[in-house]
Amino acid sequence: YGRTFVKIGRFEPTSQVCSQCGVKDGPHALHVREWTCRACGAVLDRDINAAVNVAKAAGLAVTACRAQVRRAPVPAPRSEAGTHPTPQPSTAR
């Protein structure tokens, strides 16, 4: 389908790192949905901040002039590529 799969580290602290300045602010309780970076003062939404950090870690970030900043494409490992098997109907009652 012309897509590229990019994998980042499972334990990458994407919601703990400020996407503006890159400082790791530390873990926040799950109920904290918005936080202020102690280093630069940026107010960050937890989910948007994590999404920006995932894009940066995957090399998919966009610079200020809108040019793509990406590493060379890496094909998905064969064990992760392809479709999932068709689910079978459950016989449990």
Side-chain angles (χ1 to χ4, degrees):
Y1 295 109
R3 292 179 175 81
T4 302
F5 176 82
V6 181
K7 187 175 180 178
I8 68 167
R10 179 179 178 189
F11 298 105
E12 191 77 32
T14 57
S15 64
Q16 299 175 20
V17 175
C18 174
S19 60
Q20 301 294 311
C21 69
V23 170
K24 184 175 178 182
D25 202 53
H28 303 283
L30 288 177
H31 72 277
V32 176
R33 306 312 302 164
E34 187 176 278
W35 55 279
T36 303
C37 176
R38 291 183 227 166
C40 71
V43 178
L44 304 160
D45 175 274
R46 181 188 197 105
D47 298 326
I48 294 171
N49 182 63
V52 170
N53 286 331
V54 166
K56 285 180 181 179
L60 302 174
V62 177
T63 65
C65 61
R66 307 303 295 166
Q68 287 291 325
V69 180
R70 77 172 50 206
R71 298 179 292 195
V74 178
R78 189 156 197 73
S79 62
E80 295 177 356
T83 59
H84 297 284
T86 305
Q88 299 299 316
S90 175
T91 57
R93 293 182 187 197

